Amino acid sequence: MYNLAFMSAGKTFRHGQILRLVSGERIASQDDLRRRLAQQRLRVTQATLSRDLHELKLVKTTEGYKQTAAISEESASLPPLARALREFLLDVRPAENMLVLKTPPSGAQPLAAAVDASKFPEIAGTIAGDDTVLIITSNKKTRISLQQKIEALLK
Amino acid sequence: MYNLAFMSAGKTFRHGQILRLVSGERIASQDDLRRRLAQQRLRVTQATLSRDLHELKLVKTTEGYKQTAAISEESASLPPLARALREFLLDVRPAENMLVLKTPPSGAQPLAAAVDASKFPEIAGTIAGDDTVLIITSNKKTRISLQQKIEALLK
DNA sequence: CAAGATTATACATCTATCTGCATAAAAATA
DNA sequence: TATTTTTATGCAGATAGATGTATAATCTTG
């Protein structure tokens, strides 16, 4: 069965198609976009597209919806830190003025990105491998402060 | 020993704590595990732990719940640490609660994998670049202890 | 084998996410 | 400004995942 509103191709795929469409042609309105997507059997309502465009940080220009060139790559859509922690964090290991976060394989980079984006004043820098994120703080006290904040996000 | 008083969180973090617990002590039953987790504020029922252990592919042995043979084989397929050290280690550089291992180009990743597999209790985490492995320990004393063990393996 | 201990699971609940519908809010246009 | 077009959002229903309860199934031990 295809797309009966709920179990369809999924939001992620739709987002990809939206990005493809807006980069290739002039999409003048959300209803325009709705019609173009419907042509490839992606049937959703304008309300959903309003939310999609917001999540994708697309803005309306005279050339139709476009990515904000400057911001397009990075800050586009990092999940909030609490979310990343819930998804990736396996263990927290304090070590003097550092904090080691353990993740499943391949989890360290996305978690580190979320940590970086949160811009904690305690953090001097982070380094991530495959399953390990190393957070460096200026001293032990700041590490404790940071650790408390991170632990608070887990509940 | 790492974290003492910890928080309640999602399934991922609980899984990480379960792995940490079973690798460090004998967990004889699911109720045992439940009690140990409860000590760090992770309160779940035996039913949930039954599901967790299945997802983590932990099996009950006379030594308590442990990783399966499949994963044991994988870690067994890694060269023993002593061998990796002899093959790759160029220099050992202590730095407070850290130990920096220098290797020839491309030597850091395999050496770090061997270090990880050895599961030293002193190690909070490791991060490897191309010719440098950074090992984080909880404090200077544990770093000294680890350093002695590693240097002993070189003889 | 029987009794107790341990583990697995069917079912219901709770929560989070996604979506459509209806409509409010805002923007564009006449 | 009034009307029309476009976009945003409150609300409710659907779905999926996680978990507790109760209980069934299995294992251990005497």
Side-chain angles (χ1 to χ4, degrees), chain B residues 44-101:
Chain B
V44 290
T45 62
Q46 170 270 324
T48 294
L49 295 181
S50 171
R51 295 166 183 131
D52 285 346
L53 292 171
H54 183 259
E55 286 176 46
L56 291 170
K57 293 187 164 55
L58 298 179
V59 295
K60 196 175 185 177
T61 71
T62 51
E63 294 304 304
Y65 281 95
K66 294 294 171 189
Q67 304 255 350
T68 64
I71 298 177
S72 302
E73 284 173 22
E74 191 174 355
S75 56
S77 72
L78 281 176
L81 179 58
R83 186 153 166 250
L85 289 170
R86 278 186 224 111
E87 182 172 356
F88 296 113
L89 187 62
L90 292 185
D91 198 9
V92 178
R93 302 176 182 172
E96 293 292 343
N97 66 317
M98 299 177 261
L99 207 53
V100 173
L101 308 184

Side-chain angles (χ1 to χ4, degrees), chain A residues 36-54:
Chain A
R36 291 291 283 106
L37 288 170
Q39 288 175 6
Q40 43 181 104
R41 304 198 181 271
L42 276 177
R43 291 193 272 266
V44 291
T45 62
Q46 171 270 324
T48 295
L49 295 180
S50 170
R51 295 165 184 134
D52 285 346
L53 293 170
H54 183 259

Side-chain angles (χ1 to χ4, degrees), chain A:
Chain A
M1 277 300 183
Y2 26 84
N3 318 282
L4 290 176
F6 294 106
M7 262 300 291
S8 61
K11 190 167 76 158
T12 302
F13 182 73
R14 187 178 64 246
H15 280 192
Q17 296 306 297
I18 290 172
L19 290 174
R20 185 175 60 73
L21 287 172
V22 300
S23 72
E25 56 195 276
R26 184 167 180 277
I27 302 292
S29 71
Q30 295 179 4
D31 223 50
D32 249 21
L33 180 56
R34 186 187 57 72
R35 282 186 288 269
R36 291 291 283 106
L37 288 170
Q39 288 175 6
Q40 43 181 104
R41 304 198 181 271
L42 276 177
R43 291 193 272 266
V44 291
T45 62
Q46 171 270 324
T48 295
L49 295 180
S50 170
R51 295 165 184 134
D52 285 346
L53 293 170
H54 183 259
E55 285 176 45
L56 292 170
K57 291 190 162 49
L58 298 178
V59 295
K60 194 173 188 177
T61 71
T62 52
E63 293 303 306
Y65 283 96
K66 294 294 171 189
Q67 285 194 318
T68 333
I71 321 170
S72 62
E73 290 297 324
E74 280 303 313
S75 66
S77 61
L78 269 180
L81 180 58
R83 239 88 151 72
L85 289 171
R86 262 183 277 134
E87 183 170 356
F88 295 114
L89 187 63
L90 291 184
D91 200 10
V92 178
R93 303 173 183 177
E96 298 292 351
N97 65 317
M98 299 175 238
L99 208 52
V100 172
L101 308 184
K102 296 296 289 186
T103 75
S106 306
Q109 297 289 343
L111 179 55
V115 170
D116 285 341
S118 297
K119 295 194 186 349
F120 288 100
E122 293 93 342
I123 296 183
T126 69
I127 299 193
D130 180 59
D131 62 1
T132 303
V133 177
L134 173 63
I135 303 176
I136 300 169
T137 63
S138 45
N139 56 56
K140 189 169 176 176
K141 277 189 180 172
T142 55
R143 185 221 85 208
I144 291 171
S145 163
L146 176 68
Q147 186 176 355
Q148 287 172 343
K149 289 186 184 177
I150 286 181
E151 286 171 2
L153 286 175
L154 280 176
K155 60 175 179 321

